[in-house]
Amino acid sequence: MTSEIDGEVLFDRFSRGRYATDASHYQMMPLGVVVPKTMEGALRAMALAREEGVPVTPRGGGTSQCGQTINRGLVIDNSKYLNRILSLDVEAKSCVVEPGIVLDDLNRQLKKHGLYFPVDVSTASRATIGGMAGNNSCGGRSLRYGTMRDNVVAIDAVLADGSAMHFGEISADLSELNDPARRDLAAKLLGIGAREAGEVAANFPQVQRRVGGYNLDALNPAPGRVNLSHILVGSEGTLAYSTAIELKLWPLLGRRGVGVCHFGSFYAAMDAAQHLVKLKPIAIELVDATMIGLAREIPMFRPTLEAVVKGKPEALLLVEFAEDEAENELRLERLSELMGDLGFGFDRQGAHWGGVVKVLDPALQAAITDLRTSGLNIMMSMKDQRKPISFVEDCAVPLPHLAEYTAKLTEVFEKHGTKGTWYAHASEGCLHVRPVLNLRLEKDVAAMRAIAEEAFDLVRAYKGSHSGEHGDGLVRSEFHEKMFGTRLVRAFEEVKEVFDPADALNPGKIVHPSRFDDRSLFRYKPDYAVKDFQPALDWSEYPGAVGGLQGAVEMCNNNGACRKLEGGAMCPSYRATRDEQHVTRGRANSLRLALSGQIGEDAFASDAMAETMKLCVSCKACKRECPTGVDMARMKIEVLAARAQKHGLSLRDRLVGHLPRYAPYAAYLAPLLNLRNRIPALAKLTEALVGFSARRSLPVWRRDRFTPTVGAQGRADGPEVVLWADTFNAAFEPENIHAAIATLTGAGYRVHVARPSGGGRPLCCGRTYLSVGDVGAAKAEMARTLAVLEPFVMSGIPVLGLEPSCLFSFRDEVRALLPGKAAQAVAAQAMLVEEFIAREIKAGRFAPRLAKVAERAVLHGHCHQKAFGAMSAVQTALGLIPDLKVETIESSCCGMAGAFGYQAETIDVSLRMAELSLLPAVRAASPDTLVVADGTSCRHQIHDGAGREAVHVVRVLAASMEKAEKEAAF
């Protein structure tokens, strides 16, 4: 197959394992995976599968929550290459796209034309249009814009037998169809539609959010014209393989107004929805108390909640208007009046406590949207083997019944010993509810079956839909007979027979399903077990074997937030390669399968696992931006430690890891060692011997390295701080440490520089050792350092650092290396110099005399600054400089990541990461613009890739203070 297909053909165990799951609780190991580079390659893969009798499942972002995108045959991943806009008609407001284009990417390209595609699913950063069409996705604003079905104009597709057809609007008499095959297929479909029209009218739920089964109502010939593409919408890849999809586009949303409605009881919020919708908002979204509580524990969401949430509501309804500015404000006023008319007020008690917080600021609105669309992942962030499980998740009922339905469903949950989490689309009566269960336990699986049976009975009684947004897949297909009746289910099977008589396309979905509680299809099957061993780090905050590492790995729910291509920093390696192997989700799946023995013995320390982890740059973006908090950087340390224990350390590993030990001696040999950068033959020799790329300069050793030799500096009565002089700045850029001391002492502080008691080898945080998996050495170094820092921090003296990767080791890895009081105390007091300055500014204690040093500056943030929410601090510090206009570069990882950017085998990916946004932005800056970057590696990448010298923020502050002093002297 490899030689016949233009694309990537993946049949190894690790690759198959990465495609065995989606965002559901199911797992099915595919026979193989094809990632076609062209549509011809995809069709050739289908033809070869057809010849071998192997079923085919098309896949986009793999974010489906019902198991639609997994199967045991061949998976075709459209998302990497088949993602172009094929045509765009701006005047007609339409476009034709390939199935693998991601919604956010499509909308970024449409934005310059004043258009967008409005089916705004919560997974817009990774959901593909093909997957959305296959699922009949809805999005939060379907109240105004409808579902995918309402916005798909036509589809070009290939049937299971290889024949290509166009599906679009036709007349019911088929008069314009000249192709016999297409005419025959259309006649059969319209025959089914005509025959079942009465049954459809009687038994299809009369709610907008009905995405279960096939759209037989689209086949009714009575109106005179039908759109055959609508039978493919929602078919979950079971009827045909889409090659091109024509979409209806809409003008961009203008200014919006958001009313955050607070409620003292969940029931009151649900009952109010039917009244609030009369104000004609474009969306009403629910956030319940459970989600609020979990979101408060996630650093990236905490500021949003602090800005818009008053008190302790049991539920919020986010009511969104999108009219002109004056009308938005008017409707927000009416919303407040209506809440008052319904009996709510912030001065009341109990169920009638509540009111409206108005939000007109676009940035805060965007933050609210991020919170809302992350609802699923926030709910899944529970550090417990019990998780909110999707199986009755998106039932939809008419709005007047919503409150009663939710109350009765809560009773069902309580009856079976659990509770539900609630969020999403109150405006449509479609709430995402997930009972909290542990599907490793037979009793919880039995409870899931009972809850499903009773919940779907409730939905049917209210004439609602059991499948209101997320489709059928393995979860709901079994229940079609309960919802639609036997006759319509037979009609569904007949439609499948017309398209795919051999059941070659995504079998087991919508028709001929398995039982939804068949545990052999679960991610955690009855025989699922993890072989226990002693981890290198402390994972005790998580459940499960390997000291809790099992639970940490299993936090990944496969929802794929790490696949976003812009915004934030996660995941830089995926942005560079677009490979499932190189995304946080792919790595987490590999780790889970390795720990549970599903991809071979000793897979955890295998070469295949090393290859899986190779492009992880330990940026920690996932720690902050993954709403379930998957910390792949720390997990990589475990893999490296296992590899080191099994194979030992290479020469390059030893050179990298032991850098802090030999750096003081290297200073004496600096001129000799620096010859490597000036003599090409030496660079090639080091590449051959060690693996450092000859195309990359190495850091320049300094004879004048920084060595702390004096006691405290600065005003004797000044507030005390401890400066952490890291290895990198001490050895390669000592001027940064001198600048930090000058800045702090110039502002009146007394500065101690951390140094070993009694002299001897400089202190080290252990970062370099962790980067090569030498955890024992890292612990020893951190223990030396804690012994020195503990007396300071116990006295309340903060520890300040310059290099983010080193300083944040005290906030993060220290607790996993040496858990205890000393580690906790240092973690609480450790901060970057600019974080300390920002804190002191806020307290009114930092106000040195400063002078203008430049007109403009561009700022690149180190990954760890972003991961720990420290970017605002460096912006605040730069904001002190008079008349300096600062532009923050929206960048992910610079691509250096310690030794990563120097390695011969990873330098190309390193440069690709830098070229995504960082280097182009630096090159675009004028020569007199300051380039500010606090990371040693970041500054090196900017120097090598853009030929510009970047400086640490303390250098800018020190220069400003020095200039101010000179000006004052004249």
Side-chain angles (χ1 to χ4, degrees):
M1 181 177 275
T2 303
S3 62
E4 296 191 48
I5 294 174
D6 183 18
E8 297 154 21
V9 180
L10 310 171
F11 276 76
D12 62 284
R13 286 182 298 186
F14 271 67
S15 293
R16 292 166 55 220
R18 284 187 278 268
Y19 283 87
T21 50
D22 53 14
S24 70
H25 57 269
Y26 296 103
Q27 176 177 299
M28 299 175 75
M29 193 69 71
L31 177 66
V33 180
V34 170
V35 187
K37 291 184 177 179
T38 62
M39 194 58 70
E40 291 73 20
L43 300 184
R44 182 58 184 152
M46 287 183 67
L48 291 172
R50 185 166 59 249
E51 292 171 11
E52 297 296 325
V54 174
V56 170
T57 296
R59 178 171 166 128
T63 61
S64 54
Q65 294 173 32
C66 303
Q68 292 98 315
T69 62
I70 59 174
N71 228 311
R72 294 198 173 95
L74 182 70
V75 173
I76 298 180
D77 181 353
N78 297 316
S79 65
K80 183 174 181 179
Y81 298 111
L82 304 182
N83 50 26
R84 297 175 299 161
I85 295 178
L86 298 174
S87 67
L88 171 63
D89 188 330
V90 174
E91 288 191 11
K93 296 185 179 66
S94 70
C95 68
V96 179
V97 301
E98 289 182 313
I101 192 168
V102 169
L103 175 59
D104 272 357
D105 192 31
L106 170 63
N107 279 332
R108 277 190 287 269
Q109 296 180 62
L110 294 174
K111 185 176 182 179
K112 60 188 174 185
H113 302 288
L115 299 172
Y116 89 125
F117 187 68
V119 184
D120 58 335
V121 294
S122 62
T123 52
S125 63
R126 60 268 194 204
T128 63
I129 292 297
M132 291 169 61
N135 201 54
N136 193 12
S137 297
C138 302
R141 299 184 177 108
S142 61
L143 194 63
R144 171 171 291 186
Y145 297 110
T147 67
M148 281 298 291
R149 176 177 166 180
D150 299 307
N151 292 280
V152 170
V153 179
I155 296 176
D156 289 336
V158 172
L159 306 190
D161 64 3
S163 56
M165 289 191 183
H166 177 77
F167 294 84
E169 188 174 283
I170 60 171
S171 61
D173 63 8
L174 311 182
S175 56
E176 68 262 49
L177 297 185
N178 298 318
D179 174 35
R182 188 178 175 213
R183 186 183 182 92
D184 180 59
L185 182 139
K188 289 177 180 177
L189 293 175
L190 295 189
I192 296 171
R195 187 190 72 215
E196 303 299 339
E199 195 74 8
V200 166
N203 291 301
F204 267 34
Q206 297 303 305
V207 292
Q208 185 197 50
R209 286 176 174 263
R210 177 201 59 74
V211 301
Y214 294 127
N215 292 323
L216 297 185
D217 54 334
L219 300 177
N220 186 347
R225 295 190 68 80
V226 296
N227 191 324
L228 289 182
S229 71
H230 293 172
I231 193 64
L232 298 183
V233 174
S235 64
E236 302 184 356
T238 62
L239 302 182
Y241 174 82
S242 299
T243 59
I245 303 169
E246 183 178 353
L247 304 172
K248 175 184 177 183
L249 305 177
W250 292 73
L252 281 170
L253 275 176
R255 303 276 302 184
R256 293 178 293 133
V258 176
V260 183
C261 298
H262 293 55
F263 295 90
S265 85
F266 184 83
Y267 185 94
M270 296 301 91
D271 187 57
Q274 61 183 310
H275 304 292
L276 303 185
V277 78
K278 294 174 183 176
L279 296 177
K280 297 185 178 179
I282 63 170
I284 302 178
E285 298 290 292
L286 165 70
V287 177
D288 79 344
T290 301
M291 183 170 163
I292 294 170
L294 290 170
R296 286 190 193 279
E297 299 303 312
I298 300 172
M300 68 182 295
F301 296 125
R302 196 176 299 130
T304 304
L305 291 172
E306 290 172 354
V308 301
V309 178
K310 296 180 65 170
K312 295 182 178 180
E314 286 298 307
L316 303 174
L317 290 180
L318 310 176
V319 184
E320 183 178 25
F321 302 100
E323 313 302 328
D324 60 49
E325 195 167 340
E327 183 63 21
N328 287 338
E329 294 190 24
L330 179 61
R331 295 203 192 185
L332 286 175
E333 285 297 324
R334 290 176 179 168
L335 178 64
S336 295
E337 293 169 4
L338 178 55
M339 286 286 286
D341 292 343
L342 293 173
F344 298 101
F346 285 122
D347 57 345
R348 303 192 181 185
Q349 303 294 319
H352 282 92
W353 174 87
V356 180
V357 172
K358 300 172 185 176
V359 180
L360 291 166
D361 174 43
L364 185 54
Q365 290 172 354
I368 293 171
T369 298
D370 287 343
L371 171 68
R372 173 185 67 79
T373 56
S374 297
L376 166 63
N377 282 336
I378 291 171
M379 293 301 189
M380 296 299 285
S381 67
M382 297 178 178
K383 292 179 180 178
D384 194 305
Q385 289 195 333
R386 300 172 79 231
K387 299 287 186 187
I389 302 298
S390 172
F391 60 99
V392 294
E393 179 177 69
D394 57 334
C395 300
V397 298
L399 269 181
H401 303 305
L402 185 59
E404 188 177 339
Y405 162 70
T406 56
K408 289 187 177 180
L409 193 55
T410 297
E411 292 173 6
V412 171
F413 296 157
E414 291 172 349
K415 171 183 172 183
H416 295 285
T418 187
K419 64 178 182 178
T421 62
W422 305 81
Y423 67 104
H425 317 300
S427 58
E428 299 280 12
C430 177
L431 294 182
H432 297 334
V433 53
R434 291 186 166 213
V436 180
L437 299 166
N438 181 359
L439 295 188
R440 294 170 175 81
L441 305 178
E442 189 62 47
K443 69 177 184 66
D444 279 22
V445 176
M448 182 172 72
R449 161 66 65 176
I451 290 170
E453 297 280 3
E454 294 178 44
F456 293 151
D457 284 341
L458 266 178
V459 171
R460 186 171 175 82
Y462 288 119
K463 300 188 184 303
S465 170
H466 70 312
S467 186
E469 181 173 28
H470 292 155
D472 300 332
L474 296 169
V475 171
R476 279 183 278 273
S477 297
E478 176 193 346
F479 295 96
H480 287 338
E481 195 144 353
K482 175 189 281 281
M483 297 304 301
F484 297 112
T486 301
R487 178 169 170 172
L488 284 180
V489 169
R490 297 293 87 80
F492 294 160
E493 293 170 355
E494 192 176 346
V495 169
K496 172 72 168 175
E497 178 74 17
V498 169
F499 278 94
D500 180 23
D503 202 17
L505 297 176
N506 207 16
K509 318 295 164 56
I510 300 183
V511 298
H512 310 303
S514 57
R515 286 175 60 89
F516 96 111
D517 54 351
D518 179 351
R519 293 190 69 191
S520 71
L521 301 178
F522 282 16
R523 191 181 304 181
Y524 305 115
K525 304 180 192 309
D527 60 349
Y528 181 86
V530 170
K531 183 179 179 181
D532 210 358
F533 62 88
Q534 182 61 43
L537 303 174
D538 179 65
W539 298 92
S540 58
E541 62 186 300
Y542 297 94
V546 199
L549 176 60
Q550 174 193 357
V553 169
E554 291 173 1
M555 287 298 293
C556 177
N557 69 352
N558 280 271
N559 197 250
C562 42
R563 286 173 61 99
K564 64 184 177 183
L565 299 174
E566 288 194 14
M570 180 178 66
C571 172
S573 51
Y574 175 75
R575 293 182 184 190
T577 70
R578 302 282 186 96
D579 289 341
E580 184 70 19
Q581 176 182 0
H582 300 135
V583 71
T584 306
R585 177 179 75 177
R587 296 184 184 108
N589 276 322
S590 295
L591 288 169
R592 177 177 54 81
L593 293 168
L595 288 172
S596 56
Q598 297 182 65
I599 48 178
E601 289 297 317
D602 202 25
F604 192 77
S606 67
D607 290 346
M609 184 62 78
E611 192 67 21
T612 297
M613 290 291 178
K614 183 171 76 174
L615 299 190
C616 173
V617 292
S618 299
C619 66
K620 297 181 183 289
C622 51
K623 179 182 176 68
R624 177 177 176 84
E625 294 177 28
C626 170
T628 60
V630 173
D631 189 348
M632 192 53 59
R634 190 185 291 188
M635 294 173 191
K636 183 179 180 179
I637 294 172
E638 288 289 353
V639 173
L640 292 172
R643 294 274 299 173
Q645 185 175 21
K646 182 177 180 180
H647 302 289
L649 298 176
S650 68
L651 174 58
R652 185 173 70 194
D653 289 340
R654 290 196 294 274
L655 285 172
V656 171
H658 290 299
L659 173 65
R661 287 180 179 265
Y662 64 75
Y665 308 105
Y668 298 110
L669 301 172
L672 183 62
L673 294 175
N674 291 336
L675 288 176
R676 184 267 180 200
N677 287 349
R678 297 200 291 271
I679 302 175
L682 287 178
K684 290 179 180 178
L685 181 62
T686 58
E687 179 172 329
L689 293 177
V690 185
F692 291 129
S693 174
R695 295 154 53 199
R696 174 78 75 181
S697 67
L698 293 180
V700 176
W701 294 100
R702 297 277 290 271
R703 293 291 298 270
D704 59 339
R705 68 167 277 117
F706 178 85
T707 302
T709 56
V710 299
Q713 301 177 59
R715 215 174 68 199
D717 61 345
E720 293 182 290
V721 299
V722 180
L723 184 65
W724 171 255
D726 63 273
T727 298
F728 303 106
N729 281 298
F732 305 120
E733 297 179 88
E735 58 271 21
N736 291 336
I737 301 175
H738 294 301
I741 294 172
T743 298
L744 292 167
T745 57
Y749 296 90
R750 186 162 180 79
V751 180
H752 304 267
V753 179
R755 55 181 176 166
S757 55
R761 186 161 49 85
L763 297 173
C764 170
C765 67
R767 163 62 54 196
T768 57
Y769 293 104
L770 290 176
S771 72
V772 297
D774 192 348
V775 176
K779 286 183 178 179
E781 293 300 314
M782 185 62 83
R784 291 176 61 234
T785 296
L786 286 184
V788 171
L789 296 180
E790 186 176 8
F792 290 104
V793 297
M794 290 303 184
S795 299
I797 299 173
V799 176
L800 312 184
L802 297 170
E803 173 55 39
S805 61
C806 292
L807 186 282
F808 287 120
S809 296
F810 297 129
R811 294 246 282 267
D812 188 5
E813 284 86 0
V814 64
R815 288 177 286 196
L817 285 168
L818 298 168
K821 288 184 179 179
Q824 293 289 349
V826 170
Q829 293 282 7
M831 63 190 78
L832 291 172
V833 170
E834 59 265 30
E835 288 185 290
F836 173 75
I837 289 173
R839 187 186 78 173
E840 296 296 281
I841 291 171
K842 187 175 182 179
R845 294 191 293 260
F846 190 91
R849 183 186 291 114
L850 297 169
K852 179 178 178 178
V853 292
E855 296 278 351
R856 300 177 62 84
V858 291
L859 169 65
H860 166 71
H862 186 284
C863 292
H864 295 182
Q865 284 177 299
K866 297 168 187 171
F868 288 89
M871 281 303 295
S872 62
V874 70
Q875 292 163 338
T876 298
L878 287 172
L880 290 173
I881 310 296
D883 303 320
L884 181 65
K885 186 174 182 180
V886 180
E887 177 187 349
T888 301
I889 300 170
E890 291 299 324
S891 55
S892 184
C893 180
C894 75
M896 284 300 288
F900 181 87
Y902 297 101
Q903 296 170 168
E905 68 273 23
T906 52
I907 185 173
D908 288 330
V909 175
S910 167
L911 293 171
R912 231 184 299 167
M913 290 180 185
E915 292 291 354
L916 289 173
S917 54
L918 171 59
L919 294 183
V922 172
R923 293 189 196 109
S926 63
D928 57 347
T929 296
L930 290 175
V931 181
V932 182
D934 283 0
T936 299
S937 293
C938 306
R939 293 191 293 273
H940 198 119
Q941 183 78 292
I942 290 168
H943 174 272
D944 279 7
R948 294 289 298 270
E949 295 300 322
V951 296
H952 195 288
V953 65
V954 295
R955 294 271 303 279
V956 184
L957 288 167
S960 179
M961 291 176 69
E962 183 180 358
K963 186 178 180 183
E965 288 177 8
K966 289 180 179 178
E967 290 176 351
F970 286 98

